[in-house]
Amino acid sequence: MPRKTIRFMDLRIQDPRARKRLLEAVSRVFRHGVFLLGPEVAELEKRVAARCGRKFAVGVSSGTDALLFTLKTFGVGPGDEVIIPALSWIATANAVAMAGARPVFADIGDDLNISPSSAERLITPRTKVLMPVHYTGKICAMEDLSRIARARGLALIEDASQAFGARRGGRPAGSFGDAACFSLNPMKVFAACGEAGIVLTDRADIAERLGVLRYNGMVNRETCLEPSLNGRLDTLQAALLLARLGDVDAIIAKRRKIAAWYDERLKGKVGTPRQSSKEQDCYYTYTIRTPERDRLKAFLEARGVEARVRDPYLMPEQPAYRRGAKGEFPNAKRLAGRLLCLPAHEKLSRSDVSRVCGLIDRFFEGAD
Ligand SMILES: *Cc1c(COP(=O)(O)O)cnc(C)c1O
């Protein structure tokens, strides 16, 4: 009898209480009928800003839009360079390119996050923004990056899409940069039931301009200040997010527990994520490294365990960017072929994790 598949991700909402709460939230929106920028959007903005210790939050239609609009509010455009890590979801580079600027790809460290020294070496007179990504749900070395940004007069924008709820030195993701962008899409740790994103900042001028950019550059119903797109956050998604906000800490606690179970069983067999005492990762993914990556993935999948290569290509090696990609990223190149994400979502049980680890043991014992 084949055993049940251990899914990499399980986005179904099957718990009756959770489902009821979400349906009630939808129902309230149906009753008031303000589907665009309704009261739930403002309420979510207020709650997320407070949670991350920020003055302002602006809800937008996706994480990609969050990045694009934010880059534009900092005046990024043609002729400018934005330094980003070589390893991320492609939206990070696309937002820079769609703003009309050039992405410059920095190397990553062993934490899989942008290397501050590599980023610093790539600064030119054209560099306008440093945009680190908290990859896998681990916050970057923000002390070093802030120091570099300040010294060189650059804006610092966090792509915190994978790190909602993560902390570093007690401070939450989204509280470090001049602005911080989150994707709240269904795969993220704090997730809508469709596309959604949010931007945080302490600067009133930035928040105000984001409000204009997310709605066709309109300041009111009459006046368009600058060309833009329509990228508002849906009231329905905001309502669903509000209904889920209270669960985020429990979700992260469970993911951290799963990570600890994996750490304990896998140490010495594969490279496991490292976490210093000042870091509290949210484990958007639990990413291991091994030179046997492709064989291990096939072995697991043949036995009912879904494992994923999250970003199989570095961004500068994508067809869209590889011609003349600017940057330096030897460590990223070395690591890219070794990374594998194991199932680590909060619905897994200890015995699920145990089964995955048992299979990894068998793989390294040479079982076939
Ligand atoms: C998910 C993600 C995005 C894009 O978010 P969308 O909401 O899917 O547009 C951007 N950057 C990173 C690092 C992400 O993981």
Side-chain angles (χ1 to χ4, degrees):
M1 262 282 284
R3 299 174 70 177
K4 93 174 182 343
T5 297
I6 297 182
R7 294 173 170 230
F8 182 71
M9 215 176 253
D10 185 358
L11 304 181
R12 294 170 299 178
I13 299 160
Q14 291 176 314
D15 173 60
R17 274 176 318 170
R19 195 201 303 246
K20 182 158 175 278
R21 220 153 18 97
L22 293 172
L23 289 173
E24 279 166 6
V26 168
S27 189
R28 279 194 294 278
V29 176
F30 282 7
R31 283 199 293 275
H32 69 59
V34 190
F35 292 109
L36 298 171
L37 299 187
E40 287 81 0
V41 173
E43 178 65 19
L44 180 75
E45 290 170 342
K46 205 173 88 191
R47 299 263 306 272
V48 172
R51 197 191 143 101
C52 298
R54 290 295 211 168
K55 291 203 177 106
F56 307 101
V58 181
V60 292
S61 54
S62 69
T64 309
D65 275 344
L67 295 170
L68 172 62
F69 294 150
T70 303
L71 287 165
K72 291 188 77 83
T73 58
F74 282 89
V76 171
D80 295 330
E81 293 179 351
V82 175
I83 298 176
I84 58 177
L87 179 66
S88 178
W89 166 233
I90 197 68
T92 309
N94 285 344
V96 176
M98 296 309 286
R102 181 176 204 192
V104 175
F105 300 97
D107 208 357
I108 58 172
D110 284 334
D111 59 356
L112 307 184
N113 279 333
I114 194 166
S115 148
S117 60
S118 168
E120 189 166 28
R121 277 195 299 278
L122 292 167
I123 295 171
T124 72
R126 293 174 181 274
T127 309
K128 202 154 208 175
V129 171
L130 200 52
M131 192 158 81
V133 176
H134 305 321
Y135 198 68
T136 75
K138 175 190 281 302
I139 298 179
C140 299
M142 295 309 288
E143 307 79 16
D144 293 343
L145 293 166
S146 303
R147 185 179 42 71
I148 293 167
R150 244 194 333 268
R152 307 297 289 267
L154 307 177
L156 182 63
I157 300 174
E158 298 171 68
D159 180 347
S161 293
Q162 301 188 358
F164 194 92
R167 288 177 174 270
R168 181 181 175 96
R171 284 176 66 176
S175 70
F176 296 88
D178 296 297
C181 301
F182 288 96
S183 165
L184 305 173
N185 84 26
M187 293 185 290
K188 305 304 202 237
V189 171
F190 177 37
C193 302
E195 307 283 6
I198 201 162
V199 185
L200 305 181
T201 182
D202 290 331
R203 278 179 55 179
D205 61 325
I206 294 291
E208 197 175 318
R209 191 157 172 208
L210 282 167
V212 169
L213 283 171
R214 77 171 166 187
Y215 187 38
N216 276 290
M218 301 296 288
V219 266
N220 47 40
R221 279 168 197 276
E222 289 171 7
T223 313
C224 177
L225 276 188
E226 57 183 313
S228 190
L229 301 168
N230 183 11
R232 290 172 291 183
L233 173 63
D234 262 355
T235 306
L236 278 171
Q237 295 305 338
L240 291 163
L241 284 161
L242 276 171
R244 277 180 159 175
L245 187 55
D247 299 336
V248 172
D249 289 329
I251 288 172
I252 293 171
K254 179 69 187 289
R255 283 177 177 245
R256 291 175 55 77
K257 203 185 256 181
I258 287 168
W261 293 337
Y262 273 131
D263 286 347
E264 192 186 307
R265 289 282 306 268
L266 298 179
K267 222 160 251 162
K269 295 175 189 125
V270 296
T272 54
R274 265 149 286 178
Q275 196 189 222
S276 78
S277 58
K278 70 172 176 182
E279 296 170 326
Q280 286 181 286
D281 303 353
C282 72
Y283 293 98
Y284 170 65
T285 57
Y286 185 86
T287 303
I288 60 166
R289 62 196 77 175
T290 167
E292 305 284 348
R293 194 265 309 275
D294 294 329
R295 279 186 50 233
L296 175 59
K297 178 174 187 290
F299 183 91
L300 292 173
E301 300 224 303
R303 288 159 186 79
V305 171
E306 294 178 349
R308 293 275 180 273
V309 178
R310 196 79 266 188
D311 297 297
Y313 301 100
L314 297 178
M315 297 189 294
E317 292 177 343
Q318 288 284 2
Y321 292 101
R322 68 180 167 220
R323 281 166 108 253
K326 195 178 166 189
E328 54 147 50
F329 33 87
N331 203 38
K333 278 184 181 155
R334 191 179 59 78
L335 285 169
R338 301 183 175 198
L339 303 178
L340 184 65
C341 303
L342 299 178
H345 61 79
E346 63 277 4
K347 290 172 188 160
L348 296 176
S349 65
R350 180 151 201 167
S351 77
D352 292 330
V353 171
S354 215
R355 192 174 134 209
V356 177
C357 295
L359 286 171
I360 295 175
D361 284 343
R362 275 180 55 202
F363 175 80
F364 285 105
E365 284 157 9
D368 48 15

